[in-house]
Amino acid sequence: MSTAVISIVVVVAVVLAAALIIRVVRAGASRRERALRRRFGPEYELNVAQHAGDSKAAQRELDERLRMYGDLRTQPLPGELRERYVAEWAAVQEMFIESPERAVTSADRLLARLAHDRGYPSDRYEEQVAALSVHHAEHVQGYRQIHDTAGLAREGRADTEELRESIVHARPFFEDLVRPPHHGATTGAETARQPYGERRSGSGLRRWLPGTGTGTGTGSGTGHTRFGHTRKGGAW
């Protein structure tokens, strides 16, 4: 075999090996992307957007969150403390009628305390949100929204509709954190239409989060209690 033929064979082998390596690397990256999308859901897309479309940078950040907080062990709330938080959230919603700004800032503080009592980091807001995003990725954006809106409210720069929306969007996050152990997780869409609580058939006990009961409400079968009005009608 001539030197020229050997050179050609070597070049072809190198090219094929390089193509195979690239294919394996891409397949691994694709699997990792799918795994992160499954784990983080809407948080994945949000992170990509925050990195200006740089999916690799977003994946590195999410991988780092998993490394730091993936094994975090949290604790459920004792029953009495859970009931106290449920009552506090109901009071916040009622407070909205007279003072939307104070209601939103109170809700922001309540959620921070609730996350702390569940065992999430509480020294810094950014660290707390990063840990929460690993374990409550479906709803953590609601916490970010109400935190940001509370900051605007303290400066007098949030209108009533922004305040109302922040409470509405934070509620699924609250329900996620306050839910009893082994109660069963729900997706964001399910949380929006399925009230938290316990049902017992027959004469049965029903315990609902205030505002999602089947008592006096907005009608139309929504199962939501109206605590007040905003400039757009404002049913919770």
Side-chain angles (χ1 to χ4, degrees), residues 33 37 49 55 60 75 80 123 135 151 154 161 170 177 185 189 211-212 225:
E33 179 182 345
R37 283 181 181 274
S55 58
R60 285 194 296 271
Q75 61 257 2
E80 183 178 343
D123 290 340
H135 299 275
R154 283 189 287 270
E161 184 61 16
L177 282 186
T212 59
T225 301

Side-chain angles (χ1 to χ4, degrees), residues 154-167:
R154 283 189 287 270
E155 299 170 2
R157 296 194 295 120
D159 65 33
T160 304
E161 184 61 16
E162 287 176 312
L163 296 164
R164 186 193 71 84
E165 287 182 356
S166 72
I167 292 273

Side-chain angles (χ1 to χ4, degrees), residues 9 41 43 53 89 121 136 192 199 204 228 231 236:
V9 170
E43 186 72 6
W89 188 264
H136 300 275
R199 297 184 184 183
R231 61 186 174 86
W236 298 107

Side-chain angles (χ1 to χ4, degrees), residues 4-198:
V5 173
I6 293 174
S7 299
I8 292 172
V9 170
V10 169
V11 169
V12 170
V14 169
V15 170
L16 291 175
L20 180 61
I21 291 171
I22 291 171
R23 184 174 180 178
V24 169
V25 169
R26 284 179 176 173
S30 179
R31 283 195 299 273
R32 186 58 184 155
E33 179 182 345
R34 288 195 298 271
L36 288 171
R37 283 181 181 274
R38 284 194 301 271
R39 177 64 185 261
F40 286 95
E43 186 72 6
Y44 180 92
E45 298 298 340
L46 178 65
N47 212 331
V48 171
Q50 289 175 338
H51 284 85
D54 187 344
S55 58
K56 297 295 187 295
Q59 289 167 21
R60 285 194 296 271
E61 180 179 329
L62 295 177
D63 275 328
E64 179 65 10
R65 291 189 205 174
L66 281 173
R67 185 187 68 79
M68 294 182 67
Y69 306 114
D71 294 329
L72 181 67
R73 293 289 179 262
T74 61
Q75 61 257 2
L77 296 175
E80 183 178 343
L81 184 57
R82 182 182 306 114
E83 295 298 327
R84 191 186 312 160
Y85 272 115
V86 168
E88 282 190 52
W89 188 264
V92 163
Q93 291 187 138
E94 291 174 352
M95 184 193 304
F96 191 92
I97 300 171
E98 299 299 331
S99 179
E101 295 84 358
R102 190 158 64 92
V104 167
T105 55
S106 295
D108 179 40
R109 290 193 295 267
L110 183 157
L111 292 174
R113 284 191 288 109
L114 175 56
H116 169 75
D117 287 343
R118 286 293 313 277
Y120 290 96
S122 57
D123 290 340
R124 294 187 306 111
Y125 165 75
E126 292 79 7
E127 182 184 8
Q128 187 179 66
V129 170
L132 286 163
S133 73
V134 173
H135 299 275
H136 300 275
E138 288 291 327
H139 304 304
V140 70
Q141 181 59 14
Y143 182 30
R144 290 194 189 99
Q145 181 175 346
I146 202 167
H147 182 79
D148 292 344
T149 306
L152 295 175
R154 283 189 287 270
E155 299 170 2
R157 296 194 295 120
D159 65 33
T160 304
E161 184 61 16
E162 287 176 312
L163 296 164
R164 186 193 71 84
E165 287 182 356
S166 72
I167 292 273
V168 170
H169 294 157
R171 181 174 182 136
F173 175 72
F174 170 77
E175 293 178 354
D176 209 17
L177 282 186
V178 84
R179 182 178 292 113
H182 313 305
H183 187 271
T186 57
T187 65
E190 289 169 337
T191 301
R193 64 176 181 268
Q194 176 180 330
Y196 154 87
E198 299 177 9

